[in-house]
Coordinates of all heavy atoms in Angstrom, one line a residue:
M53 N 167.9 161.9 106.6 CA 167.5 160.6 107.0 C 168.7 159.6 106.8 O 169.2 159.5 105.8 CB 166.3 160.2 106.2 CG 165.9 158.9 106.5 SD 164.4 158.6 105.5 CE 164.0 157.0 106.0
I54 N 169.0 159.0 107.9 CA 170.1 158.0 107.8 C 169.5 156.6 107.7 O 168.6 156.2 108.4 CB 170.9 158.0 109.1 CG1 171.5 159.4 109.4 CG2 172.0 157.0 109.2 CD1 172.3 159.6 110.7
I55 N 169.9 155.9 106.6 CA 169.4 154.5 106.3 C 170.4 153.6 106.9 O 171.6 153.6 106.5 CB 169.3 154.4 104.9 CG1 168.3 155.3 104.2 CG2 168.9 153.0 104.5 CD1 168.2 155.3 102.7
D56 N 170.0 152.9 107.9 CA 170.8 151.9 108.6 C 170.4 150.5 108.3 O 169.5 150.3 107.5 CB 170.9 152.2 110.1 CG 169.6 152.1 110.8 OD1 168.6 152.0 110.0 OD2 169.5 152.0 111.9
A57 N 171.0 149.5 109.0 CA 170.7 148.1 108.7 C 169.3 147.7 109.1 O 168.6 146.9 108.4 CB 171.7 147.3 109.6
T58 N 168.7 148.4 110.1 CA 167.3 148.1 110.5 C 166.4 148.4 109.3 O 165.4 147.6 109.1 CB 166.9 148.9 111.7 OG1 168.0 148.7 112.7 CG2 165.6 148.5 112.3
F59 N 166.6 149.4 108.7 CA 165.7 149.9 107.6 C 165.8 148.8 106.4 O 164.8 148.4 105.9 CB 166.2 151.3 107.0 CG 165.5 151.6 105.7 CD1 164.1 152.0 105.7 CD2 166.1 151.5 104.5 CE1 163.5 152.4 104.5 CE2 165.5 151.9 103.3 CZ 164.2 152.3 103.3
W60 N 167.0 148.3 106.1 CA 167.2 147.4 105.0 C 166.6 146.0 105.4 O 166.1 145.2 104.6 CB 168.6 147.2 104.6 CG 169.1 148.4 103.9 CD1 170.0 149.4 104.3 CD2 168.6 148.9 102.6 NE1 170.1 150.3 103.4 CE2 169.3 150.1 102.3 CE3 167.7 148.4 101.7 CZ2 169.0 150.9 101.2 CZ3 167.4 149.2 100.5 CH2 168.1 150.4 100.3
V61 N 166.7 145.6 106.7 CA 166.0 144.4 107.2 C 164.6 144.5 107.0 O 164.0 143.5 106.6 CB 166.5 144.1 108.6 CG1 165.6 142.9 109.2 CG2 168.0 143.8 108.7
S62 N 164.0 145.6 107.4 CA 162.6 145.7 107.3 C 162.1 145.7 105.8 O 161.1 145.1 105.5 CB 162.1 147.0 108.0 OG 162.6 148.1 107.5
V63 N 162.8 146.5 105.0 CA 162.5 146.4 103.5 C 162.6 145.0 103.0 O 161.7 144.6 102.2 CB 163.4 147.4 102.7 CG1 163.4 147.2 101.2 CG2 163.1 148.8 103.1
S64 N 163.7 144.3 103.3 CA 163.7 142.9 102.7 C 162.8 142.0 103.3 O 162.3 141.1 102.6 CB 165.2 142.4 103.0 OG 165.5 142.3 104.4
F65 N 162.3 142.3 104.5 CA 161.2 141.4 105.1 C 159.9 141.7 104.3 O 159.2 140.7 104.1 CB 161.1 141.8 106.6 CG 159.9 141.1 107.3 CD1 160.0 139.8 107.6 CD2 158.7 141.8 107.6 CE1 158.9 139.1 108.2 CE2 157.7 141.1 108.1 CZ 157.8 139.8 108.5
F66 N 159.6 142.9 104.1 CA 158.4 143.1 103.4 C 158.4 142.6 101.9 O 157.4 142.2 101.4 CB 158.0 144.6 103.4 CG 157.5 145.2 104.7 CD1 158.2 146.1 105.5 CD2 156.3 144.7 105.2 CE1 157.7 146.5 106.7 CE2 155.9 145.0 106.5 CZ 156.6 146.0 107.2
I67 N 159.6 142.7 101.3 CA 159.8 142.1 100.0 C 159.6 140.6 100.0 O 158.8 140.0 99.2 CB 161.1 142.5 99.4 CG1 161.1 144.0 99.1 CG2 161.4 141.7 98.1 CD1 162.6 144.5 98.6
F68 N 160.1 140.0 101.0 CA 159.9 138.6 101.2 C 158.5 138.1 101.4 O 158.0 137.2 100.8 CB 160.8 138.1 102.4 CG 160.6 136.6 102.7 CD1 161.2 135.6 101.9 CD2 159.9 136.2 103.9 CE1 161.1 134.3 102.2 CE2 159.8 134.9 104.2 CZ 160.4 133.9 103.3
I69 N 157.8 138.9 102.3 CA 156.4 138.6 102.5 C 155.6 138.8 101.3 O 154.7 138.1 100.9 CB 155.8 139.4 103.7 CG1 156.5 139.1 105.0 CG2 154.3 139.4 103.9 CD1 156.3 137.7 105.4
G70 N 155.9 139.9 100.5 CA 155.2 140.2 99.3 C 155.4 139.1 98.3 O 154.5 138.7 97.5
G71 N 156.6 138.6 98.2 CA 156.9 137.5 97.3 C 156.1 136.2 97.7 O 155.6 135.5 96.8
L72 N 156.0 135.9 99.0 CA 155.2 134.8 99.4 C 153.8 134.9 99.0 O 153.1 133.9 98.5 CB 155.3 134.5 100.9 CG 156.7 134.1 101.4 CD1 156.7 134.0 103.0 CD2 157.0 132.8 100.9
V73 N 153.2 136.1 99.2 CA 151.8 136.3 98.8 C 151.6 136.2 97.3 O 150.7 135.7 96.8 CB 151.3 137.7 99.3 CG1 150.0 138.0 98.8 CG2 151.3 137.6 100.9
Y74 N 152.6 136.8 96.5 CA 152.6 136.8 95.1 C 152.6 135.3 94.6 O 151.9 135.0 93.6 CB 153.7 137.6 94.5 CG 153.8 137.5 93.0 CD1 152.9 138.3 92.3 CD2 154.7 136.8 92.3 CE1 152.9 138.3 90.8 CE2 154.8 136.7 90.9 CZ 153.8 137.4 90.2 OH 153.9 137.4 88.8
L75 N 153.4 134.5 95.2 CA 153.5 133.1 94.8 C 152.4 132.2 95.4 O 152.4 131.0 95.1 CB 154.9 132.5 95.1 CG 156.0 133.2 94.4 CD1 157.3 132.6 95.0 CD2 156.0 133.0 92.9
K76 N 151.5 132.8 96.1 CA 150.3 132.1 96.7 C 150.7 130.9 97.6 O 150.2 129.9 97.7 CB 149.4 131.6 95.6 CG 148.8 132.7 94.8 CD 147.9 132.2 93.7 CE 147.4 133.4 92.8 NZ 146.7 133.0 91.7
V77 N 151.8 131.1 98.3 CA 152.3 130.2 99.2 C 151.3 129.9 100.4 O 151.1 128.8 100.8 CB 153.7 130.6 99.7 CG1 154.2 129.6 100.9 CG2 154.7 130.6 98.7
P78 N 150.7 131.0 101.0 CA 149.8 130.7 102.0 C 148.6 129.8 101.6 O 148.2 129.0 102.4 CB 149.3 132.1 102.4 CG 150.3 133.1 102.1 CD 150.9 132.4 100.8
S79 N 148.1 130.0 100.4 CA 146.9 129.2 100.0 C 147.4 127.7 99.8 O 146.7 126.7 100.0 CB 146.4 129.7 98.7 OG 147.3 129.7 97.7
K80 N 148.6 127.6 99.3 CA 149.2 126.2 99.1 C 149.4 125.5 100.5 O 149.1 124.3 100.7 CB 150.5 126.3 98.4 CG 150.4 126.7 96.9 CD 151.7 126.8 96.3 CE 151.5 127.3 94.9 NZ 152.8 127.5 94.1
I81 N 149.8 126.3 101.4 CA 150.0 125.7 102.8 C 148.6 125.4 103.4 O 148.5 124.3 104.0 CB 150.7 126.8 103.7 CG1 152.2 126.9 103.3 CG2 150.7 126.3 105.2 CD1 153.0 128.0 104.0
I82 N 147.7 126.2 103.2 CA 146.3 125.9 103.8 C 145.8 124.6 103.1 O 145.1 123.8 103.7 CB 145.4 127.2 103.6 CG1 145.8 128.3 104.5 CG2 143.9 126.7 103.7 CD1 145.1 129.6 104.2
T83 N 146.0 124.5 101.7 CA 145.5 123.3 101.0 C 146.2 122.1 101.6 O 145.5 121.1 101.9 CB 145.8 123.5 99.5 OG1 145.2 124.7 99.0 CG2 145.3 122.3 98.8
L84 N 147.5 122.1 101.8 CA 148.2 121.0 102.3 C 147.7 120.7 103.8 O 147.5 119.4 104.2 CB 149.7 121.2 102.4 CG 150.4 121.3 101.0 CD1 151.8 121.7 101.1 CD2 150.3 119.9 100.4
L85 N 147.5 121.7 104.6 CA 147.0 121.4 105.9 C 145.6 120.7 106.0 O 145.3 119.9 106.7 CB 147.0 122.7 106.7 CG 148.4 123.2 107.1 CD1 148.3 124.6 107.9 CD2 149.1 122.2 108.0
N86 N 144.7 121.3 105.0 CA 143.3 120.7 104.9 C 143.4 119.2 104.5 O 142.7 118.4 105.0 CB 142.5 121.5 104.0 CG 142.0 122.8 104.5 OD1 142.0 123.0 105.8 ND2 141.8 123.8 103.8
E87 N 144.3 118.9 103.6 CA 144.4 117.5 103.2 C 144.9 116.7 104.4 O 144.4 115.5 104.5 CB 145.4 117.4 102.0 CG 144.9 118.0 100.7 CD 145.9 118.0 99.6 OE1 147.1 117.5 99.8 OE2 145.6 118.5 98.5
K88 N 145.8 117.2 105.1 CA 146.4 116.4 106.2 C 145.3 116.3 107.3 O 145.1 115.2 107.9 CB 147.6 117.2 106.9 CG 148.3 116.4 107.8 CD 149.0 115.2 107.2 CE 149.9 114.5 108.1 NZ 150.5 113.3 107.5
I89 N 144.4 117.3 107.5 CA 143.3 117.2 108.5 C 142.4 116.1 108.0 O 141.9 115.3 108.9 CB 142.6 118.6 108.6 CG1 143.5 119.5 109.4 CG2 141.3 118.4 109.3 CD1 143.0 121.0 109.3
Y90 N 142.0 116.1 106.7 CA 141.1 115.1 106.2 C 141.7 113.7 106.4 O 141.0 112.8 106.8 CB 140.8 115.3 104.7 CG 140.0 114.3 104.0 CD1 138.7 114.2 104.3 CD2 140.6 113.3 103.2 CE1 137.9 113.1 103.7 CE2 139.9 112.3 102.6 CZ 138.5 112.2 102.9 OH 137.8 111.3 102.3
E91 N 143.0 113.5 106.1 CA 143.6 112.2 106.3 C 143.7 111.8 107.8 O 143.3 110.6 108.0 CB 145.1 112.4 105.8 CG 145.9 111.1 105.8 CD 147.3 111.3 105.3 OE1 147.5 112.0 104.3 OE2 148.2 110.8 105.9
I92 N 143.9 112.7 108.7 CA 143.8 112.3 110.1 C 142.4 111.9 110.6 O 142.3 111.0 111.3 CB 144.4 113.5 110.9 CG1 145.9 113.6 110.7 CG2 144.2 113.2 112.4 CD1 146.5 114.9 111.3
K93 N 141.4 112.7 110.0 CA 140.1 112.3 110.4 C 139.7 111.0 109.9 O 139.0 110.2 110.6 CB 139.1 113.4 109.9 CG 139.1 114.7 110.6 CD 138.0 115.7 110.0 CE 138.0 117.0 110.7 NZ 137.1 117.9 110.2
K94 N 140.1 110.7 108.7 CA 139.9 109.3 108.1 C 140.6 108.2 109.0 O 139.9 107.2 109.2 CB 140.4 109.3 106.7 CG 140.2 108.1 105.9 CD 140.7 108.2 104.6 CE 140.7 106.9 103.8 NZ 141.4 107.0 102.4
E95 N 141.8 108.5 109.4 CA 142.5 107.5 110.2 C 141.8 107.3 111.6 O 141.7 106.2 112.1 CB 143.9 107.9 110.4 CG 144.7 107.7 109.2 CD 146.2 108.2 109.4 OE1 146.6 108.7 110.5 OE2 147.0 108.1 108.4
I96 N 141.3 108.4 112.2 CA 140.6 108.3 113.4 C 139.3 107.5 113.3 O 139.0 106.7 114.2 CB 140.3 109.8 113.9 CG1 141.6 110.5 114.5 CG2 139.3 109.7 115.1 CD1 141.5 111.9 114.8
T97 N 138.6 107.8 112.2 CA 137.3 107.0 111.9 C 137.6 105.5 111.8 O 137.0 104.7 112.4 CB 136.6 107.6 110.7 OG1 136.4 108.9 110.9 CG2 135.4 106.8 110.5
E98 N 138.7 105.3 111.1 CA 139.1 103.9 110.9 C 139.5 103.2 112.2 O 139.1 102.1 112.5 CB 140.2 103.7 109.9 CG 140.7 102.3 109.6 CD 141.7 102.3 108.6 OE1 141.9 103.3 107.8 OE2 142.5 101.3 108.5
A99 N 140.2 104.0 113.1 CA 140.7 103.5 114.4 C 139.5 103.2 115.2 O 139.5 102.2 116.0 CB 141.6 104.4 115.0
E100 N 138.5 104.1 115.2 CA 137.3 103.9 116.0 C 136.5 102.6 115.6 O 136.0 101.9 116.4 CB 136.3 105.1 115.9 CG 136.9 106.3 116.7 CD 136.0 107.6 116.5 OE1 135.2 107.5 115.6 OE2 136.3 108.5 117.2
K101 N 136.5 102.4 114.3 CA 135.8 101.1 113.8 C 136.6 99.9 114.3 O 136.0 99.0 114.7 CB 135.7 101.2 112.3 CG 134.7 102.1 111.7 CD 134.7 102.1 110.2 CE 133.8 103.2 109.7 NZ 133.8 103.2 108.2
L102 N 137.8 100.0 114.2 CA 138.7 98.9 114.6 C 138.6 98.6 116.1 O 138.5 97.5 116.6 CB 140.2 99.1 114.2 CG 140.5 99.0 112.8 CD1 142.0 99.4 112.5 CD2 140.2 97.6 112.2
K103 N 138.5 99.7 116.9 CA 138.3 99.6 118.3 C 136.9 98.9 118.6 O 136.9 98.0 119.5 CB 138.3 100.9 119.0 CG 138.2 100.9 120.5 CD 138.2 102.3 121.0 CE 137.8 102.3 122.5 NZ 137.8 103.7 123.1
E104 N 135.9 99.3 117.9 CA 134.6 98.7 118.2 C 134.6 97.3 117.7 O 134.0 96.4 118.5 CB 133.5 99.5 117.4 CG 132.1 99.0 117.6 CD 131.1 99.8 116.7 OE1 131.4 101.1 116.6 OE2 130.2 99.2 116.3
E105 N 135.2 97.0 116.7 CA 135.4 95.5 116.3 C 136.1 94.7 117.3 O 135.7 93.5 117.6 CB 136.0 95.4 114.8 CG 136.1 94.1 114.3 CD 136.7 94.0 112.9 OE1 136.7 95.1 112.2 OE2 137.3 93.0 112.5
A106 N 137.2 95.2 117.7 CA 138.0 94.5 118.7 C 137.2 94.3 120.0 O 137.3 93.3 120.7 CB 139.3 95.3 119.0
N107 N 136.4 95.3 120.4 CA 135.6 95.2 121.6 C 134.6 94.1 121.4 O 134.3 93.3 122.3 CB 134.9 96.5 121.9 CG 134.4 96.6 123.3 OD1 134.7 95.8 124.2 ND2 133.3 97.4 123.5
N108 N 133.9 94.1 120.2 CA 132.9 93.0 120.0 C 133.6 91.6 120.0 O 133.0 90.7 120.5 CB 132.3 93.3 118.6 CG 131.3 94.4 118.6 OD1 130.9 94.9 119.6 ND2 131.1 95.1 117.4
L109 N 134.8 91.5 119.4 CA 135.5 90.2 119.5 C 135.8 89.8 120.9 O 135.8 88.6 121.3 CB 136.8 90.2 118.6 CG 136.5 90.3 117.1 CD1 137.8 90.5 116.4 CD2 135.9 89.0 116.6
F110 N 136.2 90.7 121.7 CA 136.5 90.6 123.1 C 135.3 90.0 123.9 O 135.3 89.1 124.6 CB 137.1 91.8 123.8 CG 137.3 91.6 125.3 CD1 138.4 90.8 125.7 CD2 136.5 92.2 126.2 CE1 138.6 90.7 127.1 CE2 136.7 92.1 127.5 CZ 137.7 91.3 128.0
I111 N 134.2 90.7 123.7 CA 132.9 90.3 124.3 C 132.5 88.9 123.9 O 132.2 88.0 124.7 CB 131.8 91.3 124.0 CG1 132.1 92.6 124.8 CG2 130.5 90.8 124.5 CD1 131.2 93.7 124.4
E112 N 132.7 88.6 122.6 CA 132.3 87.3 122.0 C 133.2 86.2 122.6 O 132.8 85.2 123.1 CB 132.5 87.3 120.5 CG 132.1 86.0 119.9 CD 132.2 86.1 118.3 OE1 132.1 87.2 117.8 OE2 132.6 85.1 117.7
S113 N 134.6 86.5 122.7 CA 135.5 85.5 123.2 C 135.2 85.3 124.8 O 135.3 84.2 125.2 CB 136.9 85.9 123.0 OG 137.3 87.1 123.7
E114 N 134.9 86.3 125.4 CA 134.6 86.3 126.9 C 133.4 85.5 127.1 O 133.3 84.6 128.0 CB 134.4 87.7 127.4 CG 134.5 87.7 129.0 CD 134.4 89.2 129.4 OE1 133.5 89.9 129.1 OE2 135.4 89.6 130.2
N115 N 132.3 85.6 126.2 CA 131.1 84.8 126.4 C 131.5 83.3 126.1 O 130.9 82.4 126.8 CB 130.1 85.2 125.4 CG 129.4 86.6 125.8 OD1 129.5 87.0 127.0 ND2 128.9 87.3 124.9
K116 N 132.3 83.0 125.1 CA 132.7 81.7 124.7 C 133.4 81.1 126.0 O 133.2 79.9 126.3 CB 133.5 81.6 123.6 CG 132.8 81.9 122.2 CD 133.7 81.7 121.0 CE 132.9 81.9 119.7 NZ 133.8 81.8 118.5
F117 N 134.3 81.8 126.6 CA 135.0 81.4 127.7 C 134.1 81.0 128.9 O 134.2 80.0 129.5 CB 136.1 82.4 128.2 CG 136.8 82.0 129.4 CD1 137.8 81.1 129.4 CD2 136.5 82.6 130.6 CE1 138.5 80.7 130.5 CE2 137.1 82.3 131.8 CZ 138.1 81.4 131.7
N118 N 133.1 81.9 129.1 CA 132.2 81.7 130.2 C 131.4 80.4 130.0 O 131.1 79.6 130.9 CB 131.3 82.9 130.5 CG 132.0 84.0 131.1 OD1 133.1 83.9 131.7 ND2 131.6 85.2 130.9
K119 N 131.0 80.3 128.6 CA 130.2 79.1 128.3 C 131.0 77.8 128.5 O 130.5 76.8 129.0 CB 129.7 79.2 126.9 CG 128.8 78.1 126.4 CD 128.4 78.3 124.9 CE 127.6 77.2 124.4 NZ 127.2 77.3 123.0
A120 N 132.2 77.9 128.0 CA 133.1 76.7 128.2 C 133.4 76.4 129.6 O 133.5 75.2 130.0 CB 134.4 76.9 127.4
N121 N 133.5 77.4 130.4 CA 133.7 77.2 131.9 C 132.5 76.6 132.5 O 132.6 75.6 133.4 CB 134.0 78.6 132.6 CG 134.6 78.4 133.9 OD1 135.1 77.3 134.3 ND2 134.6 79.5 134.6
K122 N 131.4 77.0 132.2 CA 130.1 76.4 132.7 C 130.0 74.9 132.3 O 129.5 74.1 133.0 CB 128.8 77.2 132.2 CG 128.7 78.6 132.9 CD 127.5 79.2 132.3 CE 127.4 80.7 133.0 NZ 126.2 81.4 132.4
E123 N 130.3 74.7 131.0 CA 130.2 73.2 130.6 C 131.2 72.3 131.3 O 130.9 71.2 131.6 CB 130.5 73.2 129.0 CG 129.4 73.7 128.2 CD 129.7 73.7 126.7 OE1 130.7 73.3 126.3 OE2 128.8 74.3 126.0
S124 N 132.4 72.9 131.5 CA 133.4 72.1 132.2 C 133.0 71.8 133.7 O 133.2 70.7 134.2 CB 134.8 72.8 132.3 OG 134.7 74.0 133.0
I125 N 132.2 72.8 134.3 CA 131.7 72.6 135.6 C 130.7 71.5 135.6 O 130.6 70.7 136.5 CB 131.3 73.9 136.2 CG1 132.4 74.9 136.6 CG2 130.4 73.7 137.5 CD1 132.0 76.2 137.0
E126 N 129.8 71.5 134.6 CA 128.7 70.6 134.5 C 129.4 69.1 134.2 O 128.9 68.2 134.8 CB 127.8 70.9 133.3 CG 126.9 72.1 133.6 CD 126.1 72.4 132.4 OE1 126.0 71.7 131.5 OE2 125.4 73.5 132.4
I127 N 130.3 69.1 133.4 CA 131.0 67.8 133.1 C 131.6 67.2 134.4 O 131.5 66.1 134.7 CB 132.0 68.0 132.0 CG1 131.4 68.2 130.7 CG2 133.0 66.7 131.9 CD1 132.3 68.6 129.6
I128 N 132.3 68.1 135.2 CA 132.9 67.6 136.5 C 131.8 67.2 137.4 O 131.9 66.1 138.0 CB 133.7 68.8 137.1 CG1 135.0 69.1 136.2 CG2 134.1 68.5 138.5 CD1 135.8 70.3 136.6
N129 N 130.7 67.9 137.5 CA 129.6 67.6 138.4 C 129.0 66.2 137.9 O 128.7 65.3 138.8 CB 128.5 68.6 138.5 CG 129.0 69.8 139.3 OD1 130.0 69.7 140.1 ND2 128.4 71.0 139.0
N130 N 128.8 66.0 136.6 CA 128.3 64.7 136.2 C 129.2 63.7 136.5 O 128.8 62.5 136.7 CB 128.0 64.8 134.7 CG 126.8 65.7 134.3 OD1 125.9 65.9 135.2 ND2 126.7 66.2 133.1
A131 N 130.5 63.9 136.2 CA 131.5 62.8 136.5 C 131.5 62.4 138.0 O 131.6 61.2 138.4 CB 132.9 63.3 136.2
K132 N 131.4 63.5 138.9 CA 131.3 63.2 140.3 C 130.0 62.3 140.6 O 130.1 61.4 141.5 CB 131.2 64.4 141.1 CG 132.6 65.1 141.2 CD 132.5 66.4 142.1 CE 133.8 67.1 142.2 NZ 133.7 68.3 142.9
K133 N 128.9 62.7 140.1 CA 127.7 61.9 140.3 C 127.8 60.6 139.8 O 127.4 59.5 140.5 CB 126.5 62.6 139.6 CG 126.0 63.9 140.3 CD 124.8 64.5 139.5 CE 124.5 65.9 140.1 NZ 123.4 66.5 139.3
N134 N 128.4 60.4 138.6 CA 128.5 59.0 138.0 C 129.5 58.2 138.9 O 129.4 57.0 139.1 CB 129.0 59.1 136.5 CG 127.9 59.5 135.6 OD1 126.8 59.4 135.9 ND2 128.3 60.1 134.6
G135 N 130.5 58.9 139.4 CA 131.5 58.2 140.3 C 130.9 57.7 141.5 O 131.2 56.6 142.0
E136 N 130.0 58.5 142.1 CA 129.3 58.1 143.3 C 128.3 57.0 143.1 O 128.2 56.1 143.9 CB 128.5 59.3 144.0 CG 129.5 60.4 144.5 CD 128.7 61.6 144.9 OE1 127.5 61.7 144.8 OE2 129.4 62.6 145.4
K137 N 127.7 56.9 141.9 CA 126.8 55.9 141.6 C 127.5 54.6 141.4 O 127.1 53.5 141.9 CB 126.0 56.2 140.4 CG 125.0 57.3 140.5 CD 124.2 57.5 139.3 CE 123.2 58.6 139.3 NZ 122.5 58.9 138.1
L138 N 128.7 54.6 140.9 CA 129.4 53.4 140.7 C 130.0 52.9 142.0 O 130.1 51.9 142.3 CB 130.6 53.6 139.7 CG 130.0 53.8 138.2 CD1 131.2 54.2 137.3 CD2 129.3 52.6 137.7

């Protein structure tokens, strides 16, 4: 049996994988990923709340604008009527 470079690469690869498993690197990676997932979900929830709040403020300001526009039209109409009376 001739031992060549391919054999040593495969042996070192399995030793490397074994070392990773022995040091519990996969579980640490999974833990970090789960924490990141939780953080992203939290940010998404916060963003959705902010979006809803912004939408409510937009609707409120739009209603105020429409109300102010109607009042200005009424004031103009009243001024025209008063001008015609005078």
Side-chain angles (χ1 to χ4, degrees):
M53 175 178 182
I54 299 174
I55 299 176
D56 60 349
T58 308
F59 172 76
W60 289 112
V61 169
S62 62
V63 168
S64 61
F65 175 74
F66 286 117
I67 290 172
F68 177 72
I69 296 298
L72 290 178
V73 171
Y74 177 75
L75 295 174
K76 298 179 183 173
V77 172
S79 63
K80 292 177 184 177
I81 291 173
I82 290 172
T83 303
L84 289 173
L85 289 175
N86 285 336
E87 289 174 3
K88 193 66 172 176
I89 289 170
Y90 174 74
E91 184 179 318
I92 291 171
K93 284 182 181 180
K94 183 178 170 185
E95 289 177 1
I96 289 173
T97 304
E98 184 178 337
E100 287 174 348
K101 287 179 184 178
L102 289 174
K103 179 183 174 186
E104 183 177 326
E105 183 179 334
N107 192 24
N108 289 339
L109 288 173
F110 174 73
I111 291 171
E112 182 180 328
S113 64
E114 197 172 53
N115 289 338
K116 286 182 181 179
F117 174 76
N118 289 337
K119 182 179 177 183
N121 196 16
K122 287 178 185 178
E123 288 178 5
S124 67
I125 290 172
E126 288 178 11
I127 291 171
I128 291 171
N129 288 337
N130 287 337
K132 286 181 180 178
K133 287 178 185 178
N134 289 337
E136 289 174 1
K137 287 181 183 178
L138 293 176

